[in-house]
Amino acid sequence: MNSSSDENVLIIDGCTVRVVDGDRVTAVRERMPSAEDVADTADVFGLLSDPNRLRLLVALLDGELCVCDLAAVTGQSESAVSHALRLLRAHRIVAARRSGRMAYYRLEDPHVRMLLDLALLHTGHTAAMHPERDGRE
């Protein structure tokens, strides 16, 4: 790469960044999802980042459960479970099926199950370091 070539310099937010592999940068930029899609995906991960909501979703890996049973399984109040399920349902992470006065919740689709399975598999074989938990920052 010719260091004096202006065609290999990209200005991003006022910073000068050298592009080492222009073809790869172009290819990645072309496949980059829209800002809206990235924000929606970040919202999904935000929903999954809460330990109480995550416990609910892990409980639903075995199939449908009602609010009462989800509260018993996760150790949360029925009110907290209902609130979390309302949020998860609004973002199409879980779905509900009514049977009389009861509502049974399940994971919305196989993609949610796949995300959970992969995340649990990942944490099962890695030793995460948590300096924020251990007081080592």
Side-chain angles (χ1 to χ4, degrees):
M1 172 189 272
N2 183 349
S3 61
S4 65
S5 172
D6 288 336
E7 66 188 46
N8 293 325
V9 176
L10 180 65
I11 305 297
I12 301 175
D13 292 334
C15 296
T16 302
V17 179
R18 293 246 172 247
V19 175
V20 176
D21 189 341
D23 292 339
R24 179 169 281 168
V25 168
T26 299
V28 171
R29 290 179 94 192
E30 287 174 357
R31 74 168 178 78
M32 187 66 61
S34 70
E36 184 177 301
D37 287 347
V38 169
D40 289 346
T41 303
D43 286 345
V44 169
F45 281 107
L47 290 167
L48 299 177
S49 71
D50 177 76
N52 290 324
R53 287 191 297 260
L54 190 55
R55 273 192 275 285
L56 292 172
L57 296 173
V58 170
L60 293 174
L61 284 171
D62 288 337
E64 289 185 333
L65 289 170
C66 68
V67 171
C68 301
D69 292 343
L70 283 166
V73 166
T74 63
Q76 300 176 58
S77 70
E78 289 179 25
S79 175
V81 168
S82 291
H83 177 74
L85 288 170
R86 195 169 23 259
L87 184 63
L88 292 167
R89 201 168 159 201
H91 285 85
R92 295 176 45 219
I93 304 295
V94 300
R97 176 184 62 83
R98 295 203 77 66
S99 178
R101 295 185 66 209
M102 297 292 292
Y104 293 89
Y105 292 86
R106 68 183 181 282
L107 298 177
E108 174 71 25
D109 63 34
H111 297 111
V112 174
R113 174 177 291 284
M114 190 182 314
L115 278 173
L116 291 170
D117 286 341
L118 286 172
L120 292 169
L121 183 65
H122 173 72
T123 57
H125 75 84
T126 59
M129 298 187 57
H130 298 283
E132 70 281 2
R133 293 184 197 165
D134 301 335
R136 300 173 298 174
E137 290 192 59

